Amino acid sequence: MIGRSLFRALLTSAALSAAVLLAGCNSDELGSLATNAKANQPVPPRLLAAMVEKNMDLQSPILVRLFKQEAELEVWKQDRTGRFELLKTYPICRWSGDLGPKVREGDRQAPEGFYAITPAQMNPTSAYYLSFNTGYPNAYDRSLGHTGSELMVHGDCSSRGCYAMTDEQISEIYALGRESFFGGQKSFQFQAYPFRMTPLNFARHRNSPHMAFWKMIKEGNDHFEVTRQEPKVDFCEKKYVFDAVKAPDAKREPVFEASAKCPAYVVPDELAQAVREKQEADDTEFAKLVAKGTSVAQMNTGIDGGMNRVFAARVPNGNTGLSEGGSGLALFNTDKAPGTIPNTVNPPHGPVTSPAEPLTASLTPASPSTRVAAVAPPAQSSESDGFFSSLARKVGLSSASADTTATTAPPTAAARPRTAEGRPPRPEGSIPKSKAETKQASAKPPSKRAAADTAAETQAAAPAAKDSMVAGAQPIVSTNSFENRFSAAK
């Protein structure tokens, strides 16, 4: 029965995807999402089975969260109750720069903050297999004069201010975004953080000059965690504002401009209360950790970015850099890595190549004179009351467990390793693409996995599937194993 359910889900894919693609022909943006075999690869059976188990539709909205220190990217997906639940966690193959926001072109920093990804930002012909543009700089970044361009999440495990995954990983992430766009999502939210927003991590980094910025984006993290809804993001007075609505006595919706004075607005009362309780609990735990002498993370280590230990364990001179674990701890080992990396990849090393002036432009805290609108209690239904009351009682709980999780040992300063020889990083392209990238894209064929791997994946997915169907499912396209592709470098 379970096998028939999964088979029906897979069989339904072709018809549904064809219909969606035909509908997409009426839109230049949607029509450009699946222009080649790489960009049109179906969602793998294991993920389809996970959606069945988690009560999700293939084309329901997604949301992406990313954490530098842990070197992890999470894909969350809306279930049939309307709440976002964690679908899968992907270890990040490579990111560059330091913990902290991007400030200027050439500083090698990968961006931090909240960004909206539209179909136009998806690049099916990337020189780095597949990619999407993070949308940096957003209105907040621009209000502070921050510069930078073509900051991507892409494949090929090579980063210069980007977040680099393996080809197999970005293929899955791209497919999930593509299906959500075909399902009607206009944009998905991309939340990029220096680390998981826990009291312990804030205690470790309490002396960082980026603390004011990190506390500001933590508020958006808290809104998401207490509601499991995508927080509405606005900007005013050169700061982020989350889930703002018009005041009860206002005649029109508030208009936000990043560099202008904040308009009158409120945050729904029960949401504001739930977030406030979570923040108070976090602040109490932070104070306890500081009082008992939690060690402070070393700053200015001069190491260029990080790499999840599952990949660092398989790279010559492997080093996790600024990612969780550091070079002083034993690297995590597993029988099978989640994808392939080129044999020219460089693990974290450095010093960071950046302009001489310090990255302080984004560190200005909110002015004490900033006007914060009062929270007025709007009319709430009894159903809404029960929902937010329940959320408030659950404040402080951690999110769902991930498929792949880095250890929680404190970051350790890494010794500078011997520089690995490799190709120079190539600038990543966006849409519209440069001519150089178009030529490179055609030279790199999609990866191929051994048939045995595909059979094992399908067999693993079957027990998780229930007697229900995920709309739009398709058979998976096979790709190479990590060991086969990387063996030449050993």
Side-chain angles (χ1 to χ4, degrees), residues 342-401:
N343 57 14
T344 53
V345 67
N346 287 327
H349 62 276
V352 175
T353 303
S354 63
E357 57 267 34
L359 306 181
T360 56
S362 67
L363 308 180
T364 305
S367 170
S369 62
T370 297
R371 179 170 62 86
V372 179
V375 178
Q380 299 283 342
S381 67
S382 58
E383 181 179 358
S384 177
D385 290 343
F387 171 70
F388 280 107
S389 298
S390 174
L391 288 173
R393 287 193 298 270
K394 295 180 181 178
V395 164
L397 294 179
S398 61
S399 62
S401 61

Side-chain angles (χ1 to χ4, degrees), residues 175-196:
L176 290 169
R178 178 197 67 214
E179 295 301 321
S180 294
F181 288 134
F182 286 161
Q185 187 174 20
K186 295 181 179 179
S187 66
F188 66 83
Q189 193 170 87
F190 176 69
Q191 305 175 5
Y193 300 101
F195 40 69
R196 295 189 182 276

Side-chain angles (χ1 to χ4, degrees), residues 422-444:
R423 61 184 174 184
R426 296 168 292 178
E428 166 63 349
S430 62
I431 297 177
K433 306 174 293 299
S434 66
K435 294 182 179 179
E437 180 182 357
T438 303
K439 293 180 181 179
Q440 295 171 18
S442 62
K444 186 172 183 180

Side-chain angles (χ1 to χ4, degrees), residues 195-269:
F195 40 69
R196 295 189 182 276
M197 302 275 98
T198 64
L200 177 58
N201 279 331
F202 273 90
R204 289 173 178 169
H205 296 279
R206 59 187 178 272
N207 291 343
S208 172
H210 303 295
M211 186 56 65
F213 172 75
W214 290 342
K215 286 183 176 179
M216 179 173 63
I217 63 174
K218 179 184 182 294
E219 184 173 349
N221 170 82
D222 294 346
H223 277 238
F224 174 75
E225 291 193 357
V226 302
T227 65
R228 294 291 177 86
Q229 301 291 327
E230 179 182 301
K232 176 176 172 286
V233 180
D234 289 298
F235 312 97
C236 60
E237 297 178 9
K238 299 182 180 181
K239 66 177 185 179
Y240 279 84
V241 176
F242 299 98
D243 289 317
V245 297
K246 68 179 182 180
D249 57 348
K251 296 181 179 179
R252 64 183 64 181
E253 295 292 334
V255 177
F256 289 88
E257 295 182 14
S259 298
K261 184 177 180 180
C262 291
Y265 70 89
V266 297
V267 176
D269 188 52

Side-chain angles (χ1 to χ4, degrees), residues 83 262 333 365 403:
R83 287 166 56 87
C262 291
N333 195 8
D403 291 350

Side-chain angles (χ1 to χ4, degrees), residues 3-51:
R4 288 201 302 271
S5 174
L6 185 59
F7 176 74
R8 290 198 306 269
L10 296 172
L11 190 60
T12 306
S13 166
L16 287 178
S17 294
V20 172
L21 286 172
L22 288 174
C25 292
N26 296 324
S27 166
D28 291 339
E29 290 187 356
L30 290 178
S32 66
L33 285 174
T35 58
N36 56 40
K38 293 186 301 181
N40 201 33
Q41 292 186 64
V43 176
R46 183 175 297 176
L47 278 182
L48 296 175
M51 292 179 203

Side-chain angles (χ1 to χ4, degrees), residues 70-413:
E70 292 79 7
E72 291 180 336
L73 181 151
E74 298 177 341
V75 175
W76 293 66
K77 196 164 181 64
Q78 195 175 70
D79 65 16
R80 291 182 180 122
T81 71
R83 287 166 56 87
F84 280 90
E85 298 294 341
L86 180 62
L87 176 62
K88 184 172 180 178
T89 299
Y90 297 87
I92 297 173
C93 196
R94 192 70 170 90
W95 60 272
S96 64
D98 202 347
L99 300 183
K102 184 174 183 62
V103 172
R104 62 182 63 84
E105 188 86 53
D107 63 8
R108 291 187 63 86
Q109 287 293 102
E112 295 173 7
F114 288 70
Y115 300 88
I117 313 302
T118 66
Q121 291 163 239
M122 306 287 281
N123 189 355
T125 56
S126 171
Y128 293 83
Y129 197 70
L130 293 167
S131 68
F132 66 81
N133 192 316
T134 63
Y136 177 92
N138 62 18
Y140 165 81
D141 302 316
R142 291 193 299 272
S143 73
L144 294 175
H146 294 179
T147 59
S149 60
E150 298 183 347
L151 280 301
M152 304 281 174
V153 176
H154 59 67
D156 207 41
C157 193
S158 175
S159 174
R160 190 175 68 183
C162 297
Y163 294 107
M165 316 300 293
T166 64
D167 291 355
E168 290 84 353
Q169 289 175 315
I170 194 63
S171 177
E172 287 188 13
I173 297 166
Y174 188 98
L176 290 169
R178 178 197 67 214
E179 295 301 321
S180 294
F181 288 134
F182 286 161
Q185 187 174 20
K186 295 181 179 179
S187 66
F188 66 83
Q189 193 170 87
F190 176 69
Q191 305 175 5
Y193 300 101
F195 40 69
R196 295 189 182 276
M197 302 275 98
T198 64
L200 177 58
N201 279 331
F202 273 90
R204 289 173 178 169
H205 296 279
R206 59 187 178 272
N207 291 343
S208 172
H210 303 295
M211 186 56 65
F213 172 75
W214 290 342
K215 286 183 176 179
M216 179 173 63
I217 63 174
K218 179 184 182 294
E219 184 173 349
N221 170 82
D222 294 346
H223 277 238
F224 174 75
E225 291 193 357
V226 302
T227 65
R228 294 291 177 86
Q229 301 291 327
E230 179 182 301
K232 176 176 172 286
V233 180
D234 289 298
F235 312 97
C236 60
E237 297 178 9
K238 299 182 180 181
K239 66 177 185 179
Y240 279 84
V241 176
F242 299 98
D243 289 317
V245 297
K246 68 179 182 180
D249 57 348
K251 296 181 179 179
R252 64 183 64 181
E253 295 292 334
V255 177
F256 289 88
E257 295 182 14
S259 298
K261 184 177 180 180
C262 291
Y265 70 89
V266 297
V267 176
D269 188 52
E270 290 199 62
L271 171 57
Q273 178 64 22
V275 171
R276 187 160 49 246
E277 289 179 10
K278 182 184 186 309
Q279 292 174 342
E280 289 173 354
D282 288 347
D283 289 345
T284 299
E285 180 63 19
F286 170 86
K288 290 179 181 178
L289 291 167
V290 173
K292 72 178 185 180
T294 298
S295 60
V296 177
Q298 182 175 343
M299 297 171 57
N300 301 320
T301 61
I303 297 201
D304 182 12
M307 169 181 275
N308 191 285
R309 54 181 30 191
V310 73
F311 297 113
R314 286 167 170 75
V315 175
N317 303 311
N319 193 323
T320 56
L322 298 177
S323 292
E324 191 81 317
S327 62
L329 299 179
L331 294 174
F332 180 76
N333 195 8
T334 182
D335 292 335
K336 182 179 178 183
T340 66
I341 60 176
N343 57 14
T344 53
V345 67
N346 287 327
H349 62 276
V352 175
T353 303
S354 63
E357 57 267 34
L359 306 181
T360 56
S362 67
L363 308 180
T364 305
S367 170
S369 62
T370 297
R371 179 170 62 86
V372 179
V375 178
Q380 299 283 342
S381 67
S382 58
E383 181 179 358
S384 177
D385 290 343
F387 171 70
F388 280 107
S389 298
S390 174
L391 288 173
R393 287 193 298 270
K394 295 180 181 178
V395 164
L397 294 179
S398 61
S399 62
S401 61
D403 291 350
T404 306
T405 307
T407 59
T408 56
T412 304

